Amino acid sequence: MSATPARRILAVVPVLALLVLSACTAGGTVHARQITVGQPALSAAPAAPSASPSPTAKPTPGSLDWYVSQVPTFPEAPPPQPVPLPATGPAQFWHRLPTDQKVAFITIDDGGLARPPEVADFVWRAHIPVTMFLNSPAAEEHTDYFRQIMVAGGVVENHTITHTSLAGRSYDRQKHEICGAADKLQALYGKRPTLFRPPFGEHDSTTLTAAYDCGAKAVFHWTETVHEGKVRYQTPEKVVHPGDVLLMHFRPALMDDLLAALKAIHRAGLTPALLEDYVR
Ligand SMILES: [Zn+2]
């Protein structure tokens, strides 16, 4: 099984998965069609696929099946080597995770603006590791939506209560935003966030101290943004590097953004991995 070239990110969700390669003429590339067995009953979960899908059947562009069919086949993710952390605060601040392992990380922010309904099923079926930096009011109002992505393998982390810029604010004000959101997210999802992303990426040394005091081990910026299906690089080489953190948002085009991120990671010869496996 481990030698199967079509093997994908199987460590994320313990599910029996059968991978069937089919040549897809679109783009002249070979894609993997994936059949999962034993899915939980997510909303809008598709009916179990037949045991012998027709190799010529092509999903309708824009459908969930189509998005899944477009996901590249990745090299097997290496066993994660967590980054050593100091025993005390403040929290670490990183643009990208300091690792040479051939992995990159997908992060999705906010949660209040838009929540495309098929994201949980896409994450589940394509085994996409995602970290969600949520504002706590959005998490409270749409708890089930984000819980379904958690069931699919995603992890909820902290992005403040009100999405205000923290830089220059007092310790008490910053701690209120960070600890307040952490308390709410812990109550909603049963796990206290261990990672924090400041709104707009704006932070100062007080932010790192307050984040640590609220339970965060690391504070993350990003190295690429993805919007409406386009990856924007912050380095001139326009390639995803090992440890890079890709930022997208809960916006209407999130399905396209996820697919674009996966393709960019694949072009770089990397495999998507879960940030929490590297920061423990
Ligand atoms: Zn944000």
Side-chain angles (χ1 to χ4, degrees), residues 204-245:
D204 57 20
S205 60
T206 303
T207 310
L208 305 185
T209 300
Y212 183 83
D213 293 344
C214 296
K217 298 172 180 172
V219 174
F220 276 95
H221 207 264
W222 55 87
T223 45
E224 287 87 18
T225 59
V226 191
H227 182 46
E228 295 184 340
K230 290 196 178 73
V231 179
R232 290 179 173 80
Y233 297 86
Q234 300 192 339
T235 53
E237 317 91 82
K238 297 194 182 308
V239 66
V240 180
H241 293 92
D244 271 8
V245 178

Side-chain angles (χ1 to χ4, degrees), residues 64 85 155 169 187 224 243 249 256 264 272 280:
L64 175 62
L85 293 171
V155 179
R169 303 295 182 98
E224 287 87 18
H249 292 82
D256 295 316
R280 293 176 179 166

Side-chain angles (χ1 to χ4, degrees), residues 94-240:
W94 288 313
H95 283 80
R96 68 161 55 92
L97 189 90
T99 181
D100 294 328
Q101 291 198 274
K102 297 183 75 173
V103 292
F105 305 96
I106 294 175
T107 63
I108 316 173
D109 280 16
D110 299 350
L113 182 63
R115 290 159 303 281
E118 291 181 317
V119 168
D121 285 340
F122 189 29
V123 166
W124 174 264
R125 289 181 58 186
H127 299 281
I128 309 169
V130 297
T131 296
M132 300 175 277
F133 289 98
L134 300 182
N135 298 121
S136 55
E140 184 168 25
E141 187 173 352
H142 307 284
T143 307
D144 287 346
Y145 177 85
F146 300 112
R147 183 175 287 126
Q148 287 187 348
I149 301 175
M150 284 181 70
V151 169
V155 179
V156 168
E157 301 288 5
N158 189 351
H159 194 44
T160 74
I161 304 172
T162 66
H163 205 277
T164 188
S165 176
L166 297 179
R169 303 295 182 98
S170 70
Y171 172 84
D172 286 347
R173 176 66 197 276
Q174 296 202 38
K175 187 179 179 187
H176 170 75
E177 282 284 345
I178 302 171
C179 277
D183 292 345
K184 176 60 72 178
L185 294 170
Q186 182 175 6
L188 291 172
Y189 298 112
K191 171 195 166 292
R192 192 167 186 82
T194 58
L195 306 179
F196 175 67
R197 173 170 280 151
F200 318 107
E202 295 174 357
H203 70 284
D204 57 20
S205 60
T206 303
T207 310
L208 305 185
T209 300
Y212 183 83
D213 293 344
C214 296
K217 298 172 180 172
V219 174
F220 276 95
H221 207 264
W222 55 87
T223 45
E224 287 87 18
T225 59
V226 191
H227 182 46
E228 295 184 340
K230 290 196 178 73
V231 179
R232 290 179 173 80
Y233 297 86
Q234 300 192 339
T235 53
E237 317 91 82
K238 297 194 182 308
V239 66
V240 180

